[in-house]
Amino acid sequence: MTSQDNASAPKPAAKDPWDLPDVSGLVVGVLGGTGDQGRGLAYRLARAGQKVIIGSRAAERAETAAAELGLGIEGAENAECARRSDVVIVAVPWDGHAKTLEALRSELAGKLVVDCVNPLGFDKKGAYALKPAEGSAAEQAAALLPESRVTAAFHHLSAVLLQVESIEEIDTDVMVLGEDRADTDLVQALAGRIPGMRGVFSGRLRNAHQVESLVANLISVNRRYKAHAGLRVTDV
């Protein structure tokens, strides 16, 4: 084929950014699943039909939380949770983030890891963002887990709304960041399993800091307006 033929050949159609994979068969582990955010995410994903395993440092705590939530959710010690899961959501407190991931490096190797941790400080003026040496919690996770596929998502969700059984839909977008588009597509699809929620690709991990930091602003919004604010991205 000549260069002229190549120039005249039809170009393949651009991939529809909303053409997302089927993730219904994936097992989702939630590290920190006994805390409010992890518990809420576990509940919503299981309610949407996802197989969910809650992880905790103590297996008994995880099993108790799983039994309270029902919906087929299982509880396990963190290492077992990581081993048995296809996708692992990290929802641990910031002060335990590095230690937890360092201890699970081998169990998380090859896994798709979704970091939703927000490094925040609190004083009499309210919440404020912290900046880790690596740049963000997600970048710290990527540095600690070189054999995992690290993404960032689920930062801006109200733990309160996630756990209210009478609420059918969570009206919010989920900003999803990562280095590999196939991985971010999976996380977007996972977010979309929850009614009312939509995953939106929002850049590479180097942009995770401002996404994590925005939670400090949302906390201020919620306190001022007695709300449980989320985010919507317009025109996409």
Side-chain angles (χ1 to χ4, degrees), residues 168-208:
E168 298 291 334
E169 297 186 358
I170 305 293
D171 182 25
T172 191
D173 284 336
V174 172
M175 301 181 78
V176 180
L177 303 98
E179 299 303 313
D180 188 294
R181 195 61 56 85
D183 291 338
T184 56
D185 281 355
L186 282 172
V187 180
Q188 286 181 253
L190 195 62
R193 296 272 288 161
I194 301 173
M197 201 174 288
R198 181 180 66 159
V200 180
F201 174 74
S202 302
R204 294 180 178 270
L205 287 186
R206 68 181 183 180
N207 293 319

Side-chain angles (χ1 to χ4, degrees), residues 5 19 25 37 53 55 69 88 106 142 167 184 187 192 212-213:
D5 291 332
D19 180 17
Q37 192 77 1
I53 303 172
L69 291 172
V88 179
S106 61
I167 294 177
T184 56
V187 180
E212 296 169 0
S213 300

Side-chain angles (χ1 to χ4, degrees), residues 144-181:
L144 293 172
L145 304 172
E147 297 181 53
S148 302
R149 295 140 50 211
V150 176
T151 60
F154 300 115
H155 301 90
H156 306 137
L157 307 182
S158 165
V160 174
L161 295 185
L162 288 173
Q163 295 182 75
V164 178
E165 292 184 19
S166 62
I167 294 177
E168 298 291 334
E169 297 186 358
I170 305 293
D171 182 25
T172 191
D173 284 336
V174 172
M175 301 181 78
V176 180
L177 303 98
E179 299 303 313
D180 188 294
R181 195 61 56 85

Side-chain angles (χ1 to χ4, degrees), residues 19-226:
D19 180 17
L20 300 173
D22 178 9
V23 296
S24 59
L26 298 180
V27 177
V28 179
V30 184
L31 303 180
T34 58
D36 287 340
Q37 192 77 1
R39 187 184 177 100
L41 281 168
Y43 170 71
R44 286 291 162 178
L45 288 168
R47 182 166 162 170
Q50 210 75 36
K51 175 59 184 175
V52 176
I53 303 172
I54 283 177
S56 176
R57 286 178 296 177
E60 288 184 2
R61 286 185 60 201
E63 291 165 359
T64 297
E68 291 171 352
L69 291 172
L71 299 171
I73 297 171
E74 295 183 43
E77 189 271 332
N78 278 335
E80 182 184 350
C81 172
R83 280 193 297 267
R84 293 177 56 197
S85 301
D86 302 305
V87 180
V88 179
I89 298 174
V90 181
V92 300
W94 167 241
D95 58 6
H97 184 259
K99 185 176 180 180
T100 299
L101 297 183
E102 285 173 340
L104 298 172
R105 182 175 296 178
S106 61
E107 289 83 2
L108 292 171
K111 306 283 184 177
L112 176 56
V113 174
V114 187
D115 200 294
C116 70
V117 175
N118 303 303
L120 298 176
F122 295 86
D123 60 19
K124 63 182 179 181
K125 294 182 180 181
Y128 61 94
L130 303 174
K131 189 162 187 178
E134 298 85 355
S136 64
E139 289 169 295
Q140 183 183 86
L144 293 172
L145 304 172
E147 297 181 53
S148 302
R149 295 140 50 211
V150 176
T151 60
F154 300 115
H155 301 90
H156 306 137
L157 307 182
S158 165
V160 174
L161 295 185
L162 288 173
Q163 295 182 75
V164 178
E165 292 184 19
S166 62
I167 294 177
E168 298 291 334
E169 297 186 358
I170 305 293
D171 182 25
T172 191
D173 284 336
V174 172
M175 301 181 78
V176 180
L177 303 98
E179 299 303 313
D180 188 294
R181 195 61 56 85
D183 291 338
T184 56
D185 281 355
L186 282 172
V187 180
Q188 286 181 253
L190 195 62
R193 296 272 288 161
I194 301 173
M197 201 174 288
R198 181 180 66 159
V200 180
F201 174 74
S202 302
R204 294 180 178 270
L205 287 186
R206 68 181 183 180
N207 293 319
H209 171 65
Q210 57 263 38
V211 173
E212 296 169 0
S213 300
L214 189 57
V215 174
N217 302 89
L218 290 177
I219 289 172
S220 296
V221 170
N222 290 336
R223 287 180 175 174
R224 178 66 179 85
Y225 298 101
K226 304 295 186 288

